[in-house]
Amino acid sequence: IRKSENTFDEESEEELKGMIDLYQTSNPDSEHERDMLQSILTLNDTTVEEVFTHRKNIYSINIDSDNQTLIEKINTSNYTRIPFWKNNPENIIGILDTRLLDIDMTIKSSDTNEILKFLKKPWFTPEITNLLDQLVSFKKKKEHLSLVVDEYGELLGLITLEDIIEEIVGEIIDESDTPI
């Protein structure tokens, strides 16, 4: 049925689409489930470039910020994973998972190194990676965020596990989303 580990051949995909349509015919109240199942089939045809957050919209912190600014930016962020950069915002040198920090320590800390020791090495993904492969990579690496780069290694943006899940189930409103 499969050409490779993460791709369906066209015949199998058409069979699955037919089964999904048949399921919806027998369950008229299942339009949302049908849409989700069809979205899963299109993950292989959609690249991370089509759904990522553009670099100009990334919330990130300059690692060379003074201690007070650094602490304020971490504490006022709505994000659990924050990219840190050096020299320019496109030079991401690490990702901070804020859930690993003791918030009281962060507020009181005068030593930036206490915070920076929690930085993880950034993970970079080519812009042409399809969403199915990216989803599998997120699962294998047990990661939720990857930086998207072009063929020259230039930062284009970032993609999260939530971005891919939203492609399947639709928009997810969580605590970091601002109401419209």
Side-chain angles (χ1 to χ4, degrees):
I1 292 179
R2 296 178 132 188
K3 283 184 178 177
S4 71
E5 186 179 325
N6 297 329
T7 60
F8 292 104
D9 62 31
E10 287 181 37
E11 189 176 310
S12 297
E13 191 171 325
E14 287 304 313
E15 288 175 20
L16 284 171
K17 285 179 182 174
M19 286 189 265
I20 292 168
D21 289 339
L22 183 63
Y23 172 75
Q24 211 244 319
T25 304
S26 63
N27 299 297
D29 295 332
S30 64
E31 186 174 344
H32 183 67
E33 287 104 358
R34 178 186 58 93
D35 290 345
M36 284 179 22
L37 290 169
Q38 287 179 333
S39 294
I40 291 169
L41 291 176
T42 63
L43 288 180
N44 201 40
D45 302 325
T46 308
T47 63
V48 296
E49 181 182 31
E50 296 173 61
V51 300
F52 73 88
T53 299
H54 192 274
R55 68 180 172 227
K56 70 180 180 193
N57 297 324
I58 295 175
Y59 183 89
S60 61
I61 299 175
N62 181 353
I63 198 162
D64 293 325
S65 299
D66 64 77
N67 291 341
Q68 188 60 38
T69 302
L70 192 101
I71 292 167
E72 284 176 18
K73 287 188 172 246
I74 292 170
N75 287 329
T76 59
S77 170
N78 290 332
Y79 302 102
T80 55
R81 292 169 185 85
I82 304 172
F84 275 68
W85 56 272
K86 186 168 185 68
N87 300 330
N88 89 54
E90 295 175 17
N91 182 32
I92 305 295
I93 60 163
I95 307 292
L96 176 68
D97 185 340
T98 60
R99 296 170 302 164
L100 300 175
L101 297 175
D102 174 9
I103 297 302
D104 291 332
M105 181 222 49
T106 305
I107 293 169
K108 296 173 186 170
S109 177
S110 60
D111 183 11
T112 305
N113 292 327
E114 283 298 309
I115 297 167
L116 301 182
K117 72 180 182 183
F118 290 101
L119 287 184
K120 289 175 61 178
K121 184 178 177 185
W123 169 32
F124 298 96
T125 298
E127 65 187 319
I128 59 171
T129 305
N130 71 53
L131 293 184
L132 182 58
D133 288 341
Q134 187 62 43
L135 182 61
V136 170
S137 293
F138 277 140
K139 183 178 177 191
K140 281 182 184 174
K141 289 182 175 276
K142 297 180 179 156
E143 292 286 345
H144 290 239
L145 180 145
S146 181
L147 298 162
V148 180
V149 294
D150 67 11
E151 62 192 273
Y152 303 106
E154 183 178 332
L155 179 69
L156 299 177
L158 66 80
I159 183 127
T160 64
L161 180 58
E162 182 178 331
D163 294 332
I164 298 174
I165 291 171
E166 285 181 342
E167 283 297 304
I168 298 169
V169 301
E171 189 69 25
I172 299 171
I173 304 299
D174 62 18
E175 65 277 357
S176 68
D177 294 323
T178 51
I180 298 173

